[in-house]
Amino acid sequence: GFKGQVEHVSPITKDEIQKKLQNEVAFLKQHPKFKGTLMINCIINCTGVLIRCTVDNKSGNDELDKEVLAVFSSLTKWHPGQLNGQNVDSTVLYSIKIKKGVITID
């Protein structure tokens, strides 16, 4: 990042988010052969609150997109990003791959 810039920090690690997605996205259990990718865009405000979460690139299945979005939307308390010691709003993109019922975050 830039000098004086501190990245936002999600409430749980990427591995934990992956596990949560694997456990909570029922679509994957019903469609184990599904293959696709999607991108989730989360906006975190300067107090560390997730203010918006959207699907940027759709997977091609609305049900799946909705379930993945629900998992990300449940991650409400973040550590805000910082710029020159000040908390700032920040955007985080998650690139998600699904292959043979397994979900991974790039």
Side-chain angles (χ1 to χ4, degrees), residues 17-31 34 38 40 53-55 58-59 61-75 96 98 101 103:
I17 297 173
Q18 254 174 220
K19 275 196 198 93
K20 197 169 164 59
L21 287 165
Q22 201 67 54
N23 291 333
E24 295 178 22
V25 176
F27 178 89
L28 294 175
K29 295 172 185 66
Q30 294 150 7
H31 306 87
F34 185 85
L38 68 148
I40 300 286
C53 217
T54 55
V55 179
K58 295 180 186 292
S59 67
N61 184 284
D62 290 344
E63 185 57 37
L64 174 65
D65 292 350
K66 213 161 55 193
E67 289 185 26
V68 169
L69 198 56
V71 170
F72 278 95
S73 297
S74 73
L75 308 176
I96 295 160
I98 297 131
I103 200 159

Side-chain angles (χ1 to χ4, degrees), residues 7-90:
E7 283 287 303
H8 53 267
V9 181
S10 66
I12 59 177
T13 67
K14 200 150 74 165
D15 284 351
E16 289 171 320
I17 297 173
Q18 254 174 220
K19 275 196 198 93
K20 197 169 164 59
L21 287 165
Q22 201 67 54
N23 291 333
E24 295 178 22
V25 176
F27 178 89
L28 294 175
K29 295 172 185 66
Q30 294 150 7
H31 306 87
K33 293 200 178 1
F34 185 85
K35 187 176 182 226
T37 58
L38 68 148
M39 188 157 307
I40 300 286
N41 182 350
C42 297
I43 299 171
I44 298 99
N45 75 8
C46 59
T47 61
V49 175
L50 177 69
I51 50 173
R52 204 168 82 216
C53 217
T54 55
V55 179
D56 264 15
N57 293 346
K58 295 180 186 292
S59 67
N61 184 284
D62 290 344
E63 185 57 37
L64 174 65
D65 292 350
K66 213 161 55 193
E67 289 185 26
V68 169
L69 198 56
V71 170
F72 278 95
S73 297
S74 73
L75 308 176
T76 51
K77 195 67 190 136
W78 297 59
H79 297 286
Q82 289 190 327
L83 189 59
N84 301 324
Q86 298 292 309
N87 287 353
V88 293
D89 295 353
S90 52

